[in-house]
Amino acid sequence: MNVEELFTTMVDKRASHLHLVPGSPIMIRRGSSIEPLDGHIPSPQDTRDISETIMSEDLLDEFDEKFQADFSFSVPGLSRFRIVCYQQRGTVGIVISTNPPAPPTLEDVTPPQSFLEKLNDAPSGLFLLTGPRGSGKAHTLAAIIKHLLDTQNINIVSIEDPIDFLHKNRKGVISQREIHTDSLSYDNAFRALNNLSPDLVVVTGVSDFDVIDKVLNLAAQGNKVICTAAAPNAIVFLERIIELYPPHLHQQTRTLLSVVLKAAVAQTLLPKADGDGLVAAYEVLISIPSVQSTIREGKITQLSGIMATGGREHGMSSQEMALRALVKKRLITEEEAYRRATNSEALKKMMSLPY
């Protein structure tokens, strides 16, 4: 098997993922469908050979120790790939995902204008981009970063694991630091920030308590921070942040969140009704006094009501509002909206209202 041919095939077919499992056909994902690439069935030796071709000695040592490795891989002139090698049934499985060679633009992903305006206007604070895995958070973040670099005299420092998109310095400059490649750990990367004088700190894939705690404290110290995390919606992620702390610190954490959080977006990717690609539904939460008091009082589940009612004039939108709008524009089917909704009953009530 020629690994370069696999990379080229992914780009040519505009595939988002390639799955290699010994004894099964090579599977390729385009949009929401997954199908065999061809009739070839890789052997355990095939996948082992591929993993040894694309992993450095350090990554091979990590794989031998942890039975998995997650890393980025660039093919000059073709694309940048994210690769996960993992052990299953005593053999090596591989998942390869790819992003375009250049970051997308705001026109490509159309993030909510209210979120962008808050990001531009706020001198400091925390901005969240969340959504299920595979929902396009990395693309949205990359488009926002590209826009900032194109239009502002700004110094951005990113802490990524791994780096998804490579950015170019333009009007603004960016330093992209990949964990285990450019910094030994998140802890080291955060400690170095004081000497790097960033106007914006970007942190991707936030999930562990230690990283979340550092992000919150960084924002509390007067920095502007934007981070990504996997969660079905913004409310779930906010609750998860609080629950990671010991119970006696929950109130302190809620108070801190109510102060530092400026805006949150949760996105979901859905197949278009005509079958031509995907479209994003954006849930938007903007920090206003009612949002701050709701978080501080521990009534986070009530935020969805604020987004759906009084928050509209501030550019907020609940997931149900976003799905309903896409159905109204005939960009997605009503069946798909219900299938992806985190609260199908709320969506049902929303759909019953006159357009």
Side-chain angles (χ1 to χ4, degrees):
M1 296 180 70
N2 188 319
V3 66
E4 293 182 4
E5 291 181 1
L6 292 177
F7 289 144
T8 302
T9 298
M10 286 190 68
V11 174
D12 290 344
K13 292 184 175 293
R14 298 183 179 181
S16 62
H17 294 78
L18 190 79
H19 300 262
L20 297 105
V21 178
S24 301
I26 300 173
M27 304 298 286
I28 194 167
R29 181 181 295 278
R30 288 181 290 187
S32 59
S33 65
I34 185 168
E35 58 190 30
L37 175 63
D38 53 31
H40 184 76
I41 297 178
S43 68
Q45 189 60 50
D46 287 332
T47 57
R48 184 73 199 187
D49 289 345
I50 290 175
S51 69
E52 292 177 350
T53 298
I54 58 182
M55 282 198 283
S56 65
E57 289 187 10
D58 288 343
L59 285 169
L60 286 169
D61 291 341
E62 178 183 337
F63 181 86
D64 289 339
E65 178 185 351
K66 301 179 180 179
F67 304 112
Q68 62 187 43
D70 184 347
F71 56 98
S72 56
F73 190 91
S74 291
V75 179
L78 183 64
S79 189
R80 184 171 177 83
F81 301 86
R82 182 167 183 169
I83 301 173
V84 178
C85 295
Y86 61 97
Q87 186 163 306
Q88 63 90 45
R89 296 185 183 181
T91 66
V92 180
I94 303 172
V95 177
I96 305 172
S97 59
T98 186
N99 290 319
T105 66
L106 292 184
E107 291 72 23
D108 294 327
V109 298
T110 61
Q113 189 62 34
S114 55
F115 182 85
L116 296 176
E117 291 174 356
K118 194 73 172 179
L119 182 63
N120 282 328
D121 295 341
S124 63
L126 177 62
F127 296 82
L128 298 178
L129 272 175
T130 188
R133 293 194 181 278
S135 60
K137 298 183 294 295
H139 288 69
T140 300
L141 176 63
I144 292 172
I145 293 174
K146 182 181 185 304
H147 172 72
L148 293 174
L149 291 171
D150 286 342
T151 60
Q152 297 185 18
N153 293 317
I154 189 171
N155 177 30
I156 301 175
V157 177
S158 70
I159 302 172
E160 306 179 57
D161 185 21
I163 292 173
D164 288 310
F165 288 91
L166 297 176
H167 291 277
K168 294 181 179 180
N169 295 328
R170 298 186 185 275
K171 192 171 184 179
V173 297
I174 184 169
S175 300
Q176 294 183 259
R177 309 198 68 198
E178 185 172 82
I179 302 301
H180 306 307
T181 301
D182 303 306
S183 179
L184 291 176
S185 65
Y186 276 103
D187 185 56
N188 284 352
F190 275 95
R191 273 196 271 130
L193 287 173
N194 287 335
N195 299 319
L196 301 181
S197 187
D199 299 301
L200 174 67
V201 178
V202 176
V203 187
T204 65
V206 173
S207 59
D208 296 338
F209 168 74
D210 288 343
V211 180
I212 288 175
D213 187 53
K214 288 179 175 61
V215 165
L216 288 182
N217 281 286
L218 191 65
Q221 292 164 10
N223 297 281
K224 186 185 293 190
V225 186
I226 182 169
C227 67
T228 63
N233 55 51
I235 292 174
V236 169
F237 185 59
L238 292 176
E239 289 182 323
R240 184 185 301 167
I241 289 175
I242 295 166
E243 291 301 321
L244 285 172
Y245 286 83
H248 70 279
L249 293 178
H250 283 184
Q251 183 56 54
Q252 177 181 323
T253 306
R254 287 193 290 265
T255 301
L256 179 59
L257 260 179
S258 71
V259 173
V260 302
L261 181 66
K262 301 303 178 185
V265 166
Q267 64 184 72
T268 305
L269 278 184
L270 306 100
K272 290 183 178 180
D274 60 7
D276 184 22
L278 302 167
V279 63
Y282 293 105
E283 175 189 75
V284 188
L285 177 68
I286 302 294
S287 178
I288 58 174
S290 60
V291 168
Q292 293 172 329
S293 61
T294 299
I295 294 174
R296 189 169 53 250
E297 294 166 8
K299 302 175 181 178
I300 291 180
T301 55
Q302 296 181 12
L303 291 175
S304 58
I306 295 175
M307 286 186 281
T309 54
R312 293 187 185 188
E313 62 184 277
H314 299 280
M316 295 194 226
S317 172
S318 66
Q319 187 202 49
E320 294 77 30
M321 290 168 61
L323 291 172
R324 179 177 179 269
L326 293 177
V327 172
K328 180 181 179 181
K329 295 176 183 177
R330 299 183 180 179
L331 289 174
I332 64 172
T333 64
E334 190 169 326
E335 293 74 19
E336 186 64 30
Y338 279 110
R339 192 171 77 86
R340 295 300 188 92
T342 55
N343 188 335
S344 56
E345 285 302 314
L347 178 60
K348 186 176 181 180
K349 292 179 181 178
M350 187 73 67
M351 295 295 295
S352 67
L353 298 174
Y355 284 121

